[in-house]
C-alpha cells in the first residue's frame, strides 16, 4: 500500500511539473520577439542591401533610427555618405524592378524581328515589314518559341494558359534559337479554390506538373533556324523534361549546350555549330549519387568556361578551355564554394563566396577572388564572423554584412581588390531599456551518426531562462538536402522566429545532420535515397544536449517544419515515434511520388524504386504514437495538398487520432491573416500538447 501511495505521489508530482501554467504576459512577451515586431520596434539595421547605380557613381541603401527609415547614398568619388530622399530620375539601379515580357525580339543588328503567330515562329524585316514563316507545324500545345511557367495556374480543365515568348538570337544575327514546348501529353495537377466569396462552387485550377518517374510530361526541344534561309535544325536528341541550356558564344555562330540527363547523375557540355549542324562534347561529368551543384559561366574574352563541381569531393572552381577541351582546377582545398559572384574578364579575377576554408564555424561565409592566370586565391573578408556580401557590377567594391547568429550586424564597404575596409555603413541597433539585453542563440556541436563528423546546432532559450528548470525541446527542421538550417548570420537567426516560440517556455533548436548541404560531397551523399533517416542526427544531437545540460528535457521533444521540413515533422512521429512526441507538419511532401518530378529524382533517384515507398509518411501512418497536426494551403501549386489529404486518409484507416488544418486561400507560403492564424495554431499546439498548459487564443501577433 505504501509503495502504491508513493507511486501515485510520484505521478502527481511529475504531472504537476509538466503541466506548467502559461499567462497572457507570456504570450505578449513572445509577440514582442515575433520577427516582424522585432524589425519594426526593437532591432534596426539588421542587414544592409546596396542598390548599385547604373552610372557607377555609387550605391544607395537604407538605415533606420528613431526618426524612421532613411535612404542614403554613398559616392565613390568623394567617399561620403549623404541623404538620398528620392530616386534620381536619370538613374536606373542594376538590381530590382520588373521587366515587361515582350512578345517579339529584334535581332542584334536590328534588321529583323522575331515573333509568334498561331504557335509558329515568324520573322519580319524591320525595314520592309515583309514577313517570313520559319516553322509550319506549330499548333496549340505544340508551340514554338514558348515555355511553361512554374506555378502557372490555369482556370478549369481547358482554360487558356498565359502567353509566353522566348527566342535567343546569335550575336551575328544569322541564327535564331528557340524551344518547342510540347504539352500534348503533359499531365496536370489540380486544385480547388474554395476561398472566393462570390462563388458558391469551388473554382477548378490546373497546372502542368510531372511527378517522379512520369513520362507523360511537358517536353522541351531546342531548334535552331537560319535567319536568311529559314532552314530549321531540330535537336531531337536534347528533347527532355529538363530544358537544356543554350548560350551563344560572342563573336561567332557557335553555342554552348548544357544538358542535364534525367536522374541528375550526368551532365554534358557541348560545342554546337549550326552551320554544320554538329555538336562536339566539351566536358562530361557523372556521379553514382547526383550532381546537385554544377553551375557554369561562359567567359567569351577568355574562350573558357568557368564552372563549379563537386567531382573531387568538395565544391570547387574549374576552368574549361574551349579550344583544347581541357578542364583544370582553379581552387584548392577541402571547403565548399557557394557560387561565382562576379567575373572581371579584364583583370582575370573571379569573385566567389565559400564556407569551410577558414578556421571557424564551417557554415560561415567568406568572400574571395582567384586569378585565372596565377591561380592564387585571396581572402577579401578576414575575421571569424559570417560575411554576407554584395559586389559592385565592376568588382571594384563590395558591401560586407559582418555578423554571427549571436553577434549583431556591422555593414562596411570594402575595396574589391584588397578587401580593405573603406567605410562603415551601418550597425545593428537594439533598442531595449537600460539593463536589459536581447536573448541570442547559442552554438552547440556534437558528433554525428558516423561517430567522427562534427555536426552543428543552434539553441534558443527563453529570456526568462532558469537553469534550475527543465524545458521541453522543439526542433525546427528542414533536412531538404539542397540547403541547411544553421543560422550563420544575425539576420538569419532573427528570421527563424524561434526566440518568440522559446518565450512560451521552450528550448528551440535547429540542427544540421549528415546529408544536408554546404559541407563535403560525402557529407551530402548520406541523404541520397535515404531521406527517411535524415532526422537520425537530430535525435543524436538532442540526446547529447540532454546529457550536457540538465535543463534540456529529452522526454518532451516536439518538432515543426514546412515543405520538406513538413515531411520531416510528419516523419518524426512515425519513424522516430518513441522520441518525438508532438509535431506540426505544414505544406509537406508526405510522399515523394506525389511531388514535382525534379526534386525527388535529384535526391531519391530515378527511376523510381522501392526506396520511395519505404520513406513515405503515408505508408507508415500506422506508426503514429504522438500528437500530429498536418496543415496545408488549399491552392498550393508548389507542393500539391493531395499528399496531405492522402496521409489524412491513411491515418483514418489506421484508426489514429490526429489534427488537420486546411487554409483554403493559401499557396505554399502563408500570408496575411492565414499566416497569423497558423502561427498562433502552431504555438498553441506545443503549449497544449508538449508543455501541458492550457493555451490562450485571444492575443494578437501584430
Amino acid at each position: 500500500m505504501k509503495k502504491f501511495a508513493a507511486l501515485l505521489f510520484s505521478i502527481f508530482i511529475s504531472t504537476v511539473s509538466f503541466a506548467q501554467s502559461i499567462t497572457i504576459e507570456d504570450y505578449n512577451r513572445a509577440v514582442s520577439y515575433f520577427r516582424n515586431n522585432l524589425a519594426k520596434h526593437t532591432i534596426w539595421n539588421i542587414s544592409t542591401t546596396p542598390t548599385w547605380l547604373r552610372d557607377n557613381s555609387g550605391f544607395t541603401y537604407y538605415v533606420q533610427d528613431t526618426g524612421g527609415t532613411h535612404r542614403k547614398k554613398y559616392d565613390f568619388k568623394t567617399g561620403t555618405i549623404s541623404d538620398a530622399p528620392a530616386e534620381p530620375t536619370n538613374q536606373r539601379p542594376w538590381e530590382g524592378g520588373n521587366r515587361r515580357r515582350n512578345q517579339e525580339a529584334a535581332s542584334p543588328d536590328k534588321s529583323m524581328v522575331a515573333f509568334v503567330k498561331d504557335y509558329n515562329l515568324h520573322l519580319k524585316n524591320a525595314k520592309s515589314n515583309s514577313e517570313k514563316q520559319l516553322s509550319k507545324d506549330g499548333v496549340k500545345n505544340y508551340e514554338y518559341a514558348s515555355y511553361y511557367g512554374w506555378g502557372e495556374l490555369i482556370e478549369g480543365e481547358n482554360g487558356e494558359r498565359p502567353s509566353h515568348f522566348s527566342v535567343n538570337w546569335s550575336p551575328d544575327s544569322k541564327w535564331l534559337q528557340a524551344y518547342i514546348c510540347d504539352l500534348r501529353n503533359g499531365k496536370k495537377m489540380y486544385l480547388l479554390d474554395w476561398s472566393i466569396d462570390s462563388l458558391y462552387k469551388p473554382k477548378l485550377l490546373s497546372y502542368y506538373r510531372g511527378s517522379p518517374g512520369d513520362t507523360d510530361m511537358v517536353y522541351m526541344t531546342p531548334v535552331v533556324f537560319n535567319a536568311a534561309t529559314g532552314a530549321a535544325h531540330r535537336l531531337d536528341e536534347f528533347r527532355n523534361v529538363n530544358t537544356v541550356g543554350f548560350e551563344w558564344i560572342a563573336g561567332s555562330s557557335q553555342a554552348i549546350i548544357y544538358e542535364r540527363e534525367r536522374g541528375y547523375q550526368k551532365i554534358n557540355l557541348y560545342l554546337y555549330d549550326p552551320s554544320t549542324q554538329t555538336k562536339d562534347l566539351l566536358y562530361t561529368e557523372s556521379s553514382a549519387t547526383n550532381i546537385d551543384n554544377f553551375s557554369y559561366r561562359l567567359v567569351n574574352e577568355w574562350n573558357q568556361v568557368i564552372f563549379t563541381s563537386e567531382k573531387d569531393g568538395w565544391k570547387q572552381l574549374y576552368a574549361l578551355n574551349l579550344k583544347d577541351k581541357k578542364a583544370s582546377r582553379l581552387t584548392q582545398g577541402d571547403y565548399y564554394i557557394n557560387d561565382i559572384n562576379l567575373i572581371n574578364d579584364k583583370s582575370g579575377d573571379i569573385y566567389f563566396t565559400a564556407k569551410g576554408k577558414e578556421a571557424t564555424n564551417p557554415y560561415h561565409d567568406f568572400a574571395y577572388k582567384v586569378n585565372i592566370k596565377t591561380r592564387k586565391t585571396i581572402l577579401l573578408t578576414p575575421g571569424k564572423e559570417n560575411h554576407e556580401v554584395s559586389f559592385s557590377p565592376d568588382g571594384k567594391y563590395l558591401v560586407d554584412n559582418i555578423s554571427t547568429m549571436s553577434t549583431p550586424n556591422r555593414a562596411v564597404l570594402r575595396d574589391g581588390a584588397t578587401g580593405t575596409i573603406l567605410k562603415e555603413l551601418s550597425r545593428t541597433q537594439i533598442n531595449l531599456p537600460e539593463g536589459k539585453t536581447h536573448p541570442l542563440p547559442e552554438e552547440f556541436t556534437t558528433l554525428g551518426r558516423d561517430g567522427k563528423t562534427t555536426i552543428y546546432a543552434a539553441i534558443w532559450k527563453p529570456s526568462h531562462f532558469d537553469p534550475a528548470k527543465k524545458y521541453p525541446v522543439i526542433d525546427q527542421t528542414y533536412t531538404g538536402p539542397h540547403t541547411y538550417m544553421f543560422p550563420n548570420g544575425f539576420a538569419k537567426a532573427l528570421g527563424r522566429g524561434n526566440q518568440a516560440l522559446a518565450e512560451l517556455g521552450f528550448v528551440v533548436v535547429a540542427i544540421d545532420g549528415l546529408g544536408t548541404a554546404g559541407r563535403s560531397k560525402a557529407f551530402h551523399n548520406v541523404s541520397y535515397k535515404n531521406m527517411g533517416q535524415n532526422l537520425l542526427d537530430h535525435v543524436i544531437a538532442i540526446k547529447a544536449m540532454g546529457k550536457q545540460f540538465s535543463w534540456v528535457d529529452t522526454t518532451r521533444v516536439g518538432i515543426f517544419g514546412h515543405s520538406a521540413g513538413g515531411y520531416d515533422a510528419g516523419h518524426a512521429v512515425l519513424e522516430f515515434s518513441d522520441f518525438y512526441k508532438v509535431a506540426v507538419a505544414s505544406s509537406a511532401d508526405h510522399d515523394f511520388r506525389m511531388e514535382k518530378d525534379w526534386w525527388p529524382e535529384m535526391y531519391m533517384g530515378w527511376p523510381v524504386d522501392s526506396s520511395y515507398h519505404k520513406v513515405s509518411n503515408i505508408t507508415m501512418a500506422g506508426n503514429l504514437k504522438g500528437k500530429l497536426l498536418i496543415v496545408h494551403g488549399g491552392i498550393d501549386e508548389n507542393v500539391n495538398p493531395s499528399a496531405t489529404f492522402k496521409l489524412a486518409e491513411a491515418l483514418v484507416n489506421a484508426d489514429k487520432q490526429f489534427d488537420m488544418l486546411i487554409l483554403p486561400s493559401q499557396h505554399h507560403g502563408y500570408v496575411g491573416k492565414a499566416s497569423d492564424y497558423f502561427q498562433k495554431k502552431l504555438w498553441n499546439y506545443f503549449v497544449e500538447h508538449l508543455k501541458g498548459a492550457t493555451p490562450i487564443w485571444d492575443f494578437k501577433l501584430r
Side-chain angles (χ1 to χ4, degrees):
M1 188 67 181
K2 289 182 179 180
K3 289 183 178 179
F4 181 68
L7 178 62
L8 285 177
F9 180 75
S10 174
I11 294 173
F12 173 75
I13 292 298
S14 175
T15 303
V16 170
S17 65
F18 280 4
Q20 303 167 21
S21 63
I22 193 165
T23 67
I24 191 63
E25 287 75 21
D26 295 321
Y27 280 94
N28 289 337
R29 188 174 59 253
V31 168
S32 71
Y33 286 104
F34 192 49
R35 52 186 173 268
N36 295 333
N37 296 329
L38 280 177
K40 186 176 181 180
H41 303 295
T42 308
I43 304 181
W44 298 335
N45 305 322
I46 296 171
S47 181
T48 293
T49 302
T51 297
W52 306 100
L53 298 177
R54 188 170 289 275
D55 64 359
N56 290 321
S57 64
F59 61 91
T60 60
Y61 64 101
Y62 290 90
V63 295
Q64 292 171 281
D65 58 27
T66 54
T69 300
H70 311 278
R71 186 168 178 265
K72 300 287 185 178
K73 178 186 176 181
Y74 181 88
D75 188 287
F76 290 146
K77 187 175 182 180
T78 63
T80 59
I81 298 172
S82 60
D83 291 330
E87 184 90 14
T89 56
N90 63 339
Q91 292 280 1
R92 287 194 301 161
W94 285 99
E95 302 172 0
N98 295 320
R99 294 181 179 179
R100 184 174 65 89
R101 291 181 176 176
N102 293 324
Q103 295 298 306
E104 58 181 35
S107 59
D109 65 5
K110 308 301 181 184
S111 65
M112 293 169 285
V113 175
F115 66 99
V116 164
K117 183 166 63 176
D118 297 329
Y119 309 106
N120 283 293
L121 187 59
H122 294 245
L123 282 183
K124 180 172 64 177
N125 186 293
K127 290 184 178 179
S128 66
N129 284 329
S130 61
E131 295 182 4
K132 175 169 58 180
Q133 185 171 342
L134 297 180
S135 66
K136 304 291 198 309
D137 57 340
V139 292
K140 184 178 182 180
N141 294 330
Y142 189 81
E143 305 170 7
Y144 281 81
S146 186
Y147 58 93
Y148 69 108
W150 178 262
E152 190 171 85
L153 294 177
I154 302 167
E155 291 192 12
E157 174 59 43
N158 299 309
E160 291 295 323
R161 69 187 191 95
S163 176
H164 294 299
F165 174 76
S166 177
V167 295
N168 186 8
W169 280 99
S170 65
D172 58 10
S173 300
K174 293 180 179 179
W175 305 92
L176 184 62
Q177 182 267 324
Y179 294 98
I180 302 169
C181 182
D182 186 356
L183 304 118
R184 292 173 297 180
N185 297 313
K187 288 294 192 291
K188 295 178 179 178
M189 291 187 180
Y190 296 90
L191 299 163
L192 288 173
D193 188 353
W194 304 83
S195 67
I196 304 171
D197 289 340
S198 59
L199 297 181
Y200 299 97
K201 294 179 181 179
K203 176 184 287 187
L204 175 66
L205 302 173
S206 64
Y207 56 102
Y208 288 99
R209 187 70 52 81
S211 295
D214 285 356
T215 56
D216 44 3
M217 300 167 65
V218 178
Y219 283 81
M220 301 291 287
T221 304
V223 58
V224 178
F225 295 94
N226 184 314
T229 67
H233 180 212
R234 198 172 68 188
L235 289 85
D236 289 318
E237 64 269 38
F238 294 117
R239 179 180 183 268
N240 206 331
V241 297
N242 300 324
T243 307
V244 298
F246 194 102
E247 184 175 1
W248 294 105
I249 298 173
S252 78
S253 287
Q254 293 180 316
I256 300 292
I257 294 178
Y258 169 40
E259 178 189 32
R260 296 173 298 164
E261 295 188 10
R262 190 165 184 183
Y264 302 96
Q265 292 182 305
K266 188 176 183 181
I267 62 96
N268 303 298
L269 287 177
Y270 295 93
L271 181 65
Y272 171 72
D273 189 335
S275 62
T276 59
Q277 297 188 357
T278 58
K279 63 182 188 298
D280 187 19
L281 182 64
L282 294 171
Y283 177 80
T284 186
E285 184 178 320
S286 60
S287 170
T289 55
N290 55 22
I291 299 175
D292 188 16
N293 284 300
F294 183 90
S295 62
Y296 80 94
R297 290 201 187 185
L298 171 64
V299 187
N300 289 290
E301 293 76 9
W302 304 346
N303 201 33
Q304 295 192 65
V305 167
I306 308 301
F307 66 91
T308 62
S309 171
E310 292 179 300
K311 65 177 183 174
D312 294 328
W314 292 85
K315 189 179 179 185
Q316 293 286 297
L317 280 178
Y318 298 80
L320 172 65
N321 190 302
L322 297 183
K323 188 175 183 180
D324 60 19
K325 297 189 284 188
K326 290 182 179 179
S328 58
R329 189 162 165 174
L330 290 174
T331 52
Q332 305 292 329
D334 294 344
Y335 61 95
Y336 182 94
I337 291 178
N338 300 318
D339 208 351
I340 301 166
N341 294 72
L342 180 73
I343 295 178
N344 188 322
D345 57 78
K346 294 181 177 61
S347 68
D349 289 324
I350 303 163
Y351 296 85
F352 63 93
T353 59
K355 50 174 64 73
K357 182 172 169 53
E358 309 306 315
T360 184
N361 184 297
Y363 293 98
H364 285 178
D365 290 326
F366 294 82
Y368 303 86
K369 68 174 183 177
V370 63
N371 190 271
I372 187 66
K373 293 180 180 178
T374 67
R375 307 291 170 105
K376 183 180 179 181
T377 299
I378 297 174
L379 173 65
L380 298 173
T381 55
K384 292 186 176 295
E385 302 91 344
N386 182 70
H387 299 266
E388 181 187 339
V389 301
S390 173
F391 288 91
S392 64
D394 58 9
K396 292 182 179 180
Y397 303 94
L398 67 148
V399 170
D400 181 11
N401 287 280
I402 309 167
S403 71
T404 69
M405 65 177 180
S406 55
T407 306
N409 194 68
R410 176 182 175 230
V412 299
L413 178 68
R414 293 184 184 270
D415 183 284
T418 64
T420 302
I421 293 177
L422 303 175
K423 194 81 169 181
E424 182 174 293
L425 303 174
S426 69
R427 282 181 182 261
T428 295
Q429 182 178 336
I430 302 177
N431 306 291
L432 290 171
E434 189 174 349
K436 287 194 174 184
T437 58
H438 181 82
L440 298 168
E442 302 171 8
E443 181 183 298
F444 178 82
T445 62
T446 191
L447 295 180
R449 70 189 81 171
D450 61 358
K452 60 183 181 181
T453 304
T454 301
I455 59 175
Y456 286 75
I459 302 175
W460 287 261
K461 298 185 294 189
S463 60
H464 53 293
F465 175 74
D466 182 352
K469 292 182 178 180
K470 273 192 171 292
Y471 293 88
V473 181
I474 300 177
D475 181 359
Q476 183 194 35
T477 181
Y478 193 104
T479 67
H482 58 285
T483 189
Y484 58 90
M485 283 294 288
F486 188 86
N488 53 10
F490 191 68
K492 288 182 181 178
L494 295 180
R496 292 276 189 266
N498 288 338
Q499 189 59 51
L501 183 55
E503 294 302 313
L504 298 175
F506 303 105
V507 167
V508 185
V509 300
I511 302 162
D512 284 302
L514 276 78
T516 50
R519 307 278 291 270
S520 69
K521 178 60 174 167
F523 188 101
H524 197 202
N525 279 344
V526 172
S527 61
Y528 184 70
K529 296 179 76 69
N530 190 38
M531 288 203 285
Q533 293 299 304
N534 280 359
L535 291 173
L536 184 57
D537 286 319
H538 290 226
V539 175
I540 291 170
I542 293 171
K543 286 182 176 179
M545 293 175 192
K547 289 181 179 179
Q548 184 170 333
F549 306 121
S550 61
W551 38 267
V552 170
D553 187 352
T554 57
T555 68
R556 292 185 293 165
V557 180
I559 186 170
F560 73 98
H562 190 81
S563 195
Y567 164 80
D568 290 339
H571 201 71
V573 289
L574 300 171
E575 178 77 14
F576 303 93
S577 56
D578 290 329
F579 184 75
Y580 288 101
K581 304 301 193 302
V582 183
V584 178
S586 55
S587 297
D589 46 354
H590 291 292
D591 190 310
F592 299 136
R593 292 168 294 188
M594 302 176 70
E595 250 275 43
K596 57 184 107 38
D597 61 293
W598 76 265
W599 193 86
E601 289 184 5
M602 171 76 79
Y603 301 114
M604 286 296 296
W606 177 83
V608 173
D609 58 20
S610 60
S611 62
Y612 280 74
H613 180 84
K614 291 177 182 177
V615 304
S616 169
N617 289 345
I618 296 168
T619 59
M620 57 178 65
N623 295 349
L624 179 63
K625 290 183 180 179
K627 298 294 295 184
L628 171 62
L629 170 62
I630 52 178
V631 184
H632 221 111
I635 50 174
D636 184 346
E637 75 282 13
N638 184 347
V639 176
N640 192 282
S642 55
T644 290
F645 284 108
K646 200 163 187 174
L647 175 60
E649 181 70 6
L651 291 167
V652 169
N653 290 336
D655 198 28
K656 296 293 182 179
Q657 294 191 68
F658 67 100
D659 296 289
M660 185 174 183
L661 170 64
I662 299 298
L663 302 167
S665 65
Q666 298 303 293
H667 294 271
H668 194 56
Y670 312 152
V671 297
K673 290 182 178 180
S675 175
D676 289 355
Y677 186 93
F678 168 68
Q679 192 68 56
K680 292 172 68 175
K681 195 75 173 177
L682 182 146
W683 285 3
N684 278 343
Y685 205 74
F686 289 119
V687 166
E688 180 177 1
H689 299 296
L690 194 63
K691 186 180 176 70
T694 301
I696 298 172
W697 184 259
D698 292 328
F699 69 94
K700 293 188 180 299
L701 281 171
R702 305 173 195 276

